[in-house]
Amino acid sequence: MDKQVLFDSFKINHTVMKNRVSVAPMTRISATKDGLITERMIDYYHSFAKGGFGLIITEGTYIDDKHSQTYQYQPGIIYDNQAQEWKKVVDAVHSEGGKIFMQLQHSGPLSQGNRFTKDTIAPSSAQPKGEQLSFYFGEGAYKLPREITRNEMKQVKNSFIESAKRAESVGFDGVELHGANGYLLDAFLTEYTNNRTDEYGGNTENRVRFLVEVAKEVSQAVSPDFTVGMRISQSKVNDYTYTWSGKEEDAKIIFNALGKSGLHYIHITEFKAWQTAFNDDEQVPLVSLAKRYSQLPIIANGQLEKPERAIEILNSEIADLVALGKGALADHDWIKKVQNDKPLSEFDADIVLNPVATIKNFELNNL
C-alpha cells in the first residue's frame, strides 16, 4: 500500500501542514494547580513535533474562571500569564516545523475538578450517566448540574472568543472548539441532556444552535488567517454507545449548519473512525457524513494508528487528515517510524493512564 498520502502537505484555511497526520487532543493533567504549563508539558508537545507530526492539537484547555474547568491540573488560557507559558509550547512546536491548534473546552455537566466553583452547569438539570473518571482524580457519580441561564450562555460565548484571541496572540495557528464527548457544547446537541423548551432545545436545528453561534462568533473575532475548527462526536466519556436518534437526517442538519458557521474544519472522533455511524444497515461512517454535508476539511480520529487504516481513510477522500491518540502516545515519532518502515510500539493503557493520566517519563524519552 502506497503510504505517500500520509506525507502529503495539506492546507486548512491559511494553515499549511507538512503532512496529514495530527496528534489528537488528549487530557494529560500535568499542569500546575493554577493551570500553568510546566516544563514537562513543553517537552511533551515538543517531542511530537520533533517526531514529525504535521499538526498537534492540545489537550482541552479551560476558558473561564467559572464553570469551564473539567479536571484538576488542567491547563487554562484565561490569564495573560497562562497564555505566556503556552507560548513556550508554541515556539517549541514551530521550531520543528510543526503547526499547533489549541483545543478550547467548557466542561459543562462533566466537570470533576474545578478550582473556581463547586457546582456545574448544563443545558438542562439532568443527571449525567456513569461515574467520574478515576485516572483524572474523579470518584463517584457526577454532580447534578443546574440549568445554564441565558446570561451565562452569553458569558460562555465571550469566554470562547477571548480565549481564542488570547491563543492567537501568543502564536497558535488555530483553535479547536470542543463540541464532543458530553461536555457543554455536546450536551446542547444531545437529546437526553437538553430538555430545554426555548430556541436552544427540542428539534435538532435548535439543539445545534448554540454550537453554531459559538463557532460563528469565534470565527468573526479572530483574524482571517487564524484557523477555527470544532470537534464533534456522538459518544461521550460517560456514554460510549450513544448515537443520534435522527441518524443521517440529524447528521445532515448538524453538519450543514456547522459548515455554514464560519468553521474551517470539523474533527470527528468515533471509537473506530471507519465504523458505521448508526445502528442500521447503512455502512456509512460519521466522517463521510461530515464531509458530505459540511463540505469542509475533515479530521478523522479513532483507532487509526495502524498505517494501513490511516492510508485507507485518506485515500477514500472522506477525511483529509487523521488524528492519532493512542498511537501518538505509544510513538511520539510515529511519522518517522512509518517513513522508515520501523515497527510501531504497542499502546499500554496501564502505563499511560494509570494510576493517573499524567505525562510519563517514558513518553519524554522515546525519541
Side-chain angles (χ1 to χ4, degrees):
M1 182 175 288
D2 186 3
K3 59 187 177 183
Q4 181 55 45
V5 68
L6 295 170
F7 311 117
D8 291 337
S9 64
F10 193 81
K11 183 178 182 181
I12 298 179
N13 188 31
H14 293 278
T15 306
V16 179
M17 279 72 68
K18 61 185 177 183
N19 56 53
R20 296 195 182 202
V21 189
S22 165
V23 177
M26 293 174 284
T27 300
R28 304 298 286 145
I29 55 170
S30 294
T32 70
K33 285 187 176 182
D34 295 332
L36 294 172
I37 292 301
T38 60
E39 288 298 322
R40 177 170 288 258
M41 294 174 70
I42 297 169
D43 292 341
Y44 168 80
Y45 284 112
H46 180 232
S47 69
F48 288 122
K50 184 179 178 182
F53 284 93
L55 172 66
I56 297 167
I57 307 173
T58 74
E59 60 207 283
T61 305
Y62 62 80
I63 60 172
D64 64 28
D65 58 0
K66 298 177 177 64
H67 297 91
S68 66
Q69 185 176 355
T70 312
Y71 305 109
Q72 296 182 53
Y73 304 102
Q74 180 185 15
I77 186 67
I78 61 176
Y79 304 127
D80 287 341
N81 63 334
Q82 290 176 335
Q84 289 305 312
E85 291 303 302
W86 270 114
K87 187 177 187 301
K88 298 176 183 178
V89 172
V90 172
D91 292 345
V93 170
H94 285 169
S95 72
E96 302 290 348
K99 305 295 183 181
I100 184 167
F101 296 165
M102 172 176 279
Q103 189 186 71
L104 303 179
Q105 179 179 14
H106 192 296
S107 63
L110 301 186
S111 177
Q112 58 178 57
N114 189 338
R115 67 190 178 97
F116 302 105
T117 184
K118 298 297 184 183
D119 66 335
T120 58
I121 56 175
S124 303
S125 183
Q127 178 61 46
K129 295 183 177 182
E131 293 192 341
Q132 299 178 43
L133 305 176
S134 61
F135 47 82
Y136 294 137
F137 295 115
E139 183 179 1
Y142 290 94
K143 296 175 184 177
L144 176 67
R146 63 173 175 80
E147 182 174 300
I148 188 173
T149 67
R150 297 293 286 265
N151 185 56
E152 285 173 326
M153 289 170 66
K154 292 179 182 178
Q155 292 175 0
V156 167
K157 284 192 283 186
N158 188 63
S159 294
F160 272 110
I161 290 167
E162 293 304 312
S163 295
K165 290 164 65 175
R166 196 170 286 112
E168 182 177 16
S169 74
V170 295
F172 277 92
D173 302 290
V175 291
E176 179 172 286
L177 310 174
H178 201 336
N181 302 124
Y183 303 113
L184 183 64
L185 296 185
D186 183 50
F188 270 90
L189 196 56
T190 301
E191 291 162 290
Y192 69 78
T193 57
N194 184 348
N195 302 313
R196 302 177 71 93
T197 57
D198 60 9
E199 69 269 33
Y200 294 96
N203 61 35
T204 309
E205 290 89 346
N206 283 352
R207 286 183 284 106
V208 76
R209 189 184 306 275
F210 190 55
L211 286 76
V212 170
E213 289 179 357
V214 171
K216 183 176 295 185
E217 293 184 31
V218 170
S219 299
Q220 292 173 348
V222 296
S223 71
D225 291 347
F226 195 64
T227 299
V228 180
M230 183 177 286
R231 196 178 209 211
I232 293 290
S233 72
Q234 295 185 95
S235 65
K236 295 94 174 58
V237 295
N238 62 324
D239 184 1
Y240 287 107
T241 62
Y242 176 79
T243 59
W244 299 335
S245 66
K247 299 184 179 180
E248 184 167 346
E249 183 59 28
D250 272 357
K252 181 178 180 180
I253 293 167
I254 292 164
F255 293 129
N256 184 266
L258 292 176
K260 296 176 181 177
S261 69
L263 292 174
H264 299 119
Y265 75 90
I266 292 175
H267 181 179
I268 298 296
T269 178
E270 292 277 85
F271 179 64
K272 295 178 180 178
W274 62 90
Q275 71 187 20
T276 183
F278 312 111
N279 298 320
D280 55 25
D281 295 329
E282 295 293 327
Q283 299 297 310
V284 182
L286 197 63
V287 287
S288 179
L289 297 174
K291 169 66 78 174
R292 180 185 306 170
Y293 293 119
S294 75
Q295 296 295 299
L296 292 176
I298 302 298
I299 301 177
N301 170 242
Q303 296 195 28
L304 294 172
E305 60 271 10
K306 292 184 178 179
E308 55 270 23
R309 284 290 190 186
I311 292 167
E312 182 179 11
I313 206 164
L314 292 175
N315 280 337
S316 70
E317 298 185 349
I318 60 175
D320 302 287
L321 278 78
V322 296
L324 307 184
K326 294 176 181 177
L329 287 177
D331 286 304
H332 286 213
D333 55 349
W334 189 95
I335 296 290
K336 292 182 177 180
K337 281 190 171 182
V338 173
Q339 282 178 322
N340 296 303
D341 296 315
K342 292 185 177 180
L344 296 171
S345 304
E346 290 292 326
F347 175 77
D348 190 335
D350 285 336
I351 294 177
V352 176
L353 298 179
N354 293 321
V356 290
T358 54
I359 298 168
K360 305 296 193 295
N361 287 334
F362 87 92
E363 295 178 69
L364 302 178
N365 298 321
N366 71 347
L367 290 182

